[in-house]
Amino acid sequence: MAKLAVAVVRAVLRPLVQRSRLQLGPIESSGTASILLGVAAIVLAAGASAALERATTALPEGLREARLFWLAIRTPRVEIATGAPSA
């Protein structure tokens, strides 16, 4: 019975794997490699999404620190006198 189940799974999956193709710009693959690249792309997208989610919670703090740093290192502004010269 187990051998029959394995044979059925192979009969169903073999054509699917053989017909799988992936083309992303200059990268082109087929068969098992295309399935693995697709899975890798999904995992990469999930990781990037999680990293962006963590970064967005830290963004306001980072902007505040960058502003304070800029205020600390910038040179003082020179005021331009306007109006008539006093005599």
Side-chain angles (χ1 to χ4, degrees):
M1 185 69 176
K3 288 184 181 184
L4 178 63
V6 169
V8 169
V9 169
R10 282 186 181 167
V12 170
L13 293 181
R14 187 177 303 257
L16 178 67
V17 170
Q18 289 175 347
R19 290 189 189 116
S20 296
R21 295 189 185 274
L22 178 69
Q23 183 176 0
L24 259 155
I27 300 172
E28 187 175 334
S29 66
S30 62
T32 306
S34 66
I35 294 172
L36 291 174
L37 283 173
V39 170
I42 291 170
V43 170
L44 179 67
S49 173
L52 283 173
E53 186 179 339
R54 277 183 262 134
T56 55
T57 59
L59 184 62
E61 177 76 16
L63 291 175
R64 186 179 67 80
E65 290 294 328
R67 180 182 171 276
L68 291 175
F69 177 71
W70 172 251
L71 291 174
I73 64 168
R74 75 175 187 179
T75 58
R77 291 184 176 183
V78 177
E79 294 293 327
I80 298 175
T82 60
S86 54

